Amino acid sequence: MRISSSQFHDSTIRNIQDSSAKYSQLSVQMATNKRITRPSDDPLGSVLVLRLNSELTSLAQYGQNMELVTYTLRQQETQLSSINNLLFSLQELTTAAADASYGEAELKAMGNEMAVLMPGIVDLLNAKDGNGNYLFAGSEIDKQPFITDLAGTYSYQGDALVRKVSVAENTLVDANIVGSDLVPGATFLNDLKDYVALLQAPPAAGVGTESRDMMVKLTEMLANTTSAITKIGGIVSSLEALEFTNSDISLFTENLRNDLSVVHYPSAYIEMNNALAAYESTLKVYSSVSQLSLFRQL
């Protein structure tokens, strides 16, 4: 088959351009350490890398979410543990007050001691985090959850919203404990306030019945706070386990992405030399053949 000069010229130029483009592509890949510098380098690989990058971004966000949830819950756990310590002290005093052998002076002294402990519980329920947000106010983080009116009656000003935070695909966890679950309607605080006032001015018949009633309410309050602490412990433990799992998935995903996108230098170096050799060889052949008189006449 006869090949015209124009066909030879076009074919050789294409070969030279292809070799030059391949050499340039490999040079850029080795300089940037990226096997895929544009989608056309590897269309399927480009799509996979985008998906893997998206997965890594999601895993990083899950990690940040877990850190924030753990931080908030740990702060709440600290406040609740302190509340429990005060409740135990109140239980001891209330148990003693139920004993009919104590006189008016002793009951007043117990009432005065309880009057010091009670504000501590209120302060802990109104605790803030490091950013100045109220811990137990639900979503109303800028509102003090437990307040008193002019008559000294306590009420809850937060809401009952338990925030749900995504920590893995299709996995949400509770991110906070709300005050309305700890002290429904602020009833316990009002009952405790009235009981303290009774001890500070005890009737002649004593406070046995009232003390036994208060012991029941203290037990209920302790059940609420202890249940919340247990819930926090369960969530934090599950987050710690999930963090290890996400870390393993993240490492696997990152390695897979690197296998697809990072240059394998030995192979790339060989390919680049081959491309350069093909370019130089084609250019030399073209230069030699194009000077033949027969070639010029065809």
Side-chain angles (χ1 to χ4, degrees), residues 146-147 154-156 179 183-191:
F146 294 94
I147 64 171
Y154 286 94
S155 62
Y156 178 66
V183 195
T187 302
F188 170 78
L189 296 178
N190 289 313
D191 290 342

Side-chain angles (χ1 to χ4, degrees), residues 71 75 126-137 140-145:
Y71 174 73
Q75 284 192 309
N126 287 329
K128 297 179 180 180
D129 63 17
N131 297 319
N133 300 319
Y134 288 100
L135 288 171
F136 298 108
E140 303 288 344
I141 56 177
D142 58 341
K143 290 184 180 180
Q144 181 175 314

Side-chain angles (χ1 to χ4, degrees), residues 91-135:
Q91 270 190 329
E92 292 179 3
L93 290 169
T94 303
T95 301
D99 190 339
S101 63
Y102 286 104
E104 180 180 351
E106 289 84 1
L107 291 176
K108 285 184 178 180
M110 293 177 192
N112 290 335
E113 186 174 350
M114 294 180 76
V116 174
L117 296 174
M118 181 179 174
I121 293 177
V122 177
D123 288 343
L124 291 167
L125 289 170
N126 287 329
K128 297 179 180 180
D129 63 17
N131 297 319
N133 300 319
Y134 288 100
L135 288 171

Side-chain angles (χ1 to χ4, degrees), residues 235-252:
I235 293 174
V236 171
S237 294
S238 66
L239 290 179
E240 289 175 348
L242 186 58
E243 183 179 5
F244 284 112
T245 301
N246 282 2
S247 179
D248 288 341
I249 294 174
S250 180
L251 180 60
F252 174 81

Side-chain angles (χ1 to χ4, degrees), residues 8-236:
F8 176 82
H9 174 81
D10 292 342
S11 175
T12 305
I13 290 298
R14 279 197 302 272
N15 289 337
I16 292 173
Q17 290 175 337
D18 290 344
S19 299
S20 177
K22 184 65 175 178
Y23 179 83
S24 298
Q25 177 191 16
L26 291 167
S27 297
V28 172
Q29 289 178 351
M30 293 187 69
T32 61
N33 195 30
K34 293 181 179 180
R35 189 180 68 84
I36 303 175
T37 58
R38 53 189 177 183
S40 59
D41 292 341
D42 184 351
L44 179 58
S46 297
V47 172
L48 291 175
V49 168
L50 287 175
R51 290 181 179 176
L52 293 173
N53 282 334
S54 178
E55 179 67 17
L56 287 171
T57 299
S58 297
L59 289 169
Q61 184 60 59
Y62 292 147
Q64 293 176 10
N65 291 350
M66 283 189 278
E67 288 181 5
L68 291 174
V69 170
T70 300
Y71 174 73
T72 298
L73 291 178
R74 286 297 192 192
Q75 284 192 309
Q76 290 190 315
E77 182 182 33
T78 298
Q79 308 305 319
L80 291 170
S81 295
S82 297
I83 289 174
N84 275 2
N85 291 334
L86 293 176
L87 290 174
F88 289 138
S89 297
L90 289 172
Q91 270 190 329
E92 292 179 3
L93 290 169
T94 303
T95 301
D99 190 339
S101 63
Y102 286 104
E104 180 180 351
E106 289 84 1
L107 291 176
K108 285 184 178 180
M110 293 177 192
N112 290 335
E113 186 174 350
M114 294 180 76
V116 174
L117 296 174
M118 181 179 174
I121 293 177
V122 177
D123 288 343
L124 291 167
L125 289 170
N126 287 329
K128 297 179 180 180
D129 63 17
N131 297 319
N133 300 319
Y134 288 100
L135 288 171
F136 298 108
S139 67
E140 303 288 344
I141 56 177
D142 58 341
K143 290 184 180 180
Q144 181 175 314
F146 294 94
I147 64 171
T148 56
D149 58 19
L150 294 177
T153 302
Y154 286 94
S155 62
Y156 178 66
Q157 299 299 301
D159 60 28
L161 180 64
V162 177
R163 296 187 298 277
K164 301 287 186 179
V165 175
S166 178
V167 294
E169 187 175 0
N170 301 321
T171 302
L172 300 173
V173 298
D174 291 350
N176 65 308
I177 302 296
V178 295
S180 57
D181 288 340
L182 299 171
V183 195
T187 302
F188 170 78
L189 296 178
N190 289 313
D191 290 342
L192 180 60
K193 174 181 67 70
D194 293 341
Y195 178 71
V196 171
L198 180 66
L199 285 181
Q200 290 177 319
V207 292
T209 301
E210 294 84 356
S211 295
R212 285 186 288 274
D213 289 343
M214 193 67 233
M215 287 171 64
V216 172
K217 294 168 183 175
L218 282 166
T219 299
E220 292 174 349
M221 179 65 183
L222 269 169
N224 291 342
T225 53
T226 302
S227 175
I229 291 174
T230 301
K231 178 180 178 180
I232 289 173
I235 293 174
V236 171

